[in-house]
């Protein structure tokens, strides 16, 4: 801990005014994360505005290297290019940078961590720790218990990703298009590859030459890195849906040893941070609306594949919480916890 802070960390949040930053402040407060002092940071646009944390107002300042002097943890929830420039500056000053952008995730010197799955990776951090993509986190949280129960062979996934995955501009685009359509005006398309209101867009981010999207390839490589299974066969389609908060995924998993739905439900229910919401007889299944505002990953629709020994399931998680802010705060909590 820095000298000025005693035994509590000084915390900076880069992007404190954004969708993830706002949720992150709420989670630090809710989880009673020990904060000696808070430095909310953003761009010139928001400098001078205030955020409220633990009943106190803090002025937002511009994110620049000197803002990290005397800071212990810097949560980066802004842009990838800012993380690229400023995370090393935070690390140079003795802070741990916990980054939500994609910039550092595949760097071999940077651990990519979901604390329930690979907390041991934190032991080799050199001042920067990466948080996985909001889609990857919910996905691996559901895969890991099945891997521990029966090993993984092959996974096929289709995601249905909420507009808040693109931050405040994504939320604004959905509500703006809904209003335009209601007023009989053509919807303005800026954030997504096509109109998102009243639609499903089968492309998140950009196409690559091989026909996959950049988002899909992130999901593949991040999953392999977190699970330490560099050869794991994962194939995926990522889509954007007109849902405000909560990413969903429909997943087919083939395991080394065939798992019954009952065994899979038990393995999932026993895993920290996962809740099984699955009772077909009573029509019970999890939806993004159920998970918005919650930290757990919800899993349902567990059933045998009709053509193989594999299992299908449906998984939802709050992309702003476990998909971003909660996971970042859990990383800081793990770093603070005394080592056993
Ligand atoms: N949304 C999700 O579900 C999600 C999930 C996982 C990871 N992430 C990642 O988390 C990060 C933040 O995403 P978000 O959804 O919260 O985006 P957002 O709502 O658009 O917020 C962006 C934040 O970054 C700040 N910012 C932008 N440019 C800046 C600059 N040049 N200097 C300083 N601050 C700057 C903004 O400050 P101003 O108020 O000054 O503009 C704002 O606070 C991104 O890297 C994103 O990829 C997002």
């Amino acid at each position: 801990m820095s000298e000025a802070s005693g035994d509590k960390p000084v915390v900076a949040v880069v992007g404190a005014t954004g969708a993830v930053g706002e949720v992150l402040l709420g989670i630090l407060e809710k989880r009673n994360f020990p904060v000696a002092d808070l430095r909310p940071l953003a761009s010139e646009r928001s400098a001078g505005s205030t955020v409220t944390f633990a009943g106190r107002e803090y002025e937002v300042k511009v994110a620049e290297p000197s803002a990290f002097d005397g800071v212990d943890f810097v949560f980066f929830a802004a842009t990838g290019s800012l993380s690229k420039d400023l995370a090393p500056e935070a690390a140079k000053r003795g802070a741990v940078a916990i980054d939500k952008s994609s910039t550092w995730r595949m760097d071999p010197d940077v651990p990519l961590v979901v604390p329930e799955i690979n907390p041991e990776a934190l032991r080799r951090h050199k001042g920067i720790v990466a948080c996985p993509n909001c889609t990857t986190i919910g996905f691996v949280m559901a895969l890991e218990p099945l891997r521990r129960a029966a090993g993984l062979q092959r996974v096929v996934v289709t995601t249905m990703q909420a507009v808040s995955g693109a931050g405040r501009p994504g939320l604004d685009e959905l509500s703006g298009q809904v209003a335009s359509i209601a007023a009989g005006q053509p919807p303005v398309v800026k954030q997504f590859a096509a109109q998102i209101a009243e639609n499903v867009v089968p492309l998140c981010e950009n196409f690559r030459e091989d026909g996959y999207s950049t988002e899909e390839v992130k999901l593949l490589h991040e999953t392999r890195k977190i699970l330490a299974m560099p050869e794991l066969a994962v194939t995926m389609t990522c889509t954007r849906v007109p849902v405000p908060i909560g990413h969903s995924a429909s997943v087919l998993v083939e395991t080394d040893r065939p798992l019954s739905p009952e065994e899979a439900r038990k393995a999932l229910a026993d895993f920290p941070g996962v809740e099984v919401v699955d009772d077909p007889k009573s029509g019970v299944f999890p939806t993004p609306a159920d998970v918005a505002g919650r930290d757990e990953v919800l899993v349902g629709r567990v059933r045998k594949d009709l053509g193989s020994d594999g299992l299908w399931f449906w998984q939802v998680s709050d992309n702003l919480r476990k998909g971003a802010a909660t996971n970042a705060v859990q990383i800081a909590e793990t770093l603070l916890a005394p080592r056993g």
Side-chain angles (χ1 to χ4, degrees), residues 10 20 27 31 51 81 107 111 243:
V10 175
V20 172
I27 287 170
R31 293 174 76 99
V51 297
S81 60
D107 186 314
V243 167

Side-chain angles (χ1 to χ4, degrees), residues 17-20 45 163-177 188-192 196:
T17 54
V20 172
R45 288 180 293 273
V163 294
S164 59
R168 288 198 197 288
L171 283 161
D172 292 346
E173 182 135 326
L174 175 60
S175 53
Q177 289 184 359
V188 177
V189 176
K190 278 204 267 183
Q191 298 299 324
F192 304 114
I196 188 66

Side-chain angles (χ1 to χ4, degrees), residues 14-21 41-47 63 76-80 82 100-102 105 132-134 164-169 247 319-320 323-324:
V14 179
T17 54
V20 172
L41 307 170
S43 76
E44 304 264 356
R45 288 180 293 273
S46 299
F76 280 89
T79 64
L82 202 67
K100 273 310 312 162
S101 81
S102 60
R105 289 179 193 150
N133 179 280
C134 42
S164 59
R168 288 198 197 288
H247 288 354
N319 50 294
L320 297 173

Side-chain angles (χ1 to χ4, degrees), residues 16-17 40 42-51 57-61:
T17 54
S43 76
E44 304 264 356
R45 288 180 293 273
S46 299
S49 64
T50 56
V51 297
E57 291 219 326
Y58 292 81
E59 186 182 330
V60 176
K61 302 218 165 116

Side-chain angles (χ1 to χ4, degrees), residues 76 99-113 124 128-137 205 214-215 218-219 221-222 225-226 323-324:
F76 280 89
D99 184 31
K100 273 310 312 162
S101 81
S102 60
T103 301
W104 299 99
R105 289 179 193 150
M106 295 315 297
D107 186 314
D109 284 336
V110 174
L112 180 66
V113 176
R124 54 176 185 81
I128 304 176
V129 178
C131 251
N133 179 280
C134 42
T135 307
T136 309
I137 294 180
E205 295 195 340
T214 47
E215 179 84 348
K218 276 190 221 167
L219 182 63
H221 292 308
E222 292 179 22
K225 181 170 175 178
I226 297 160

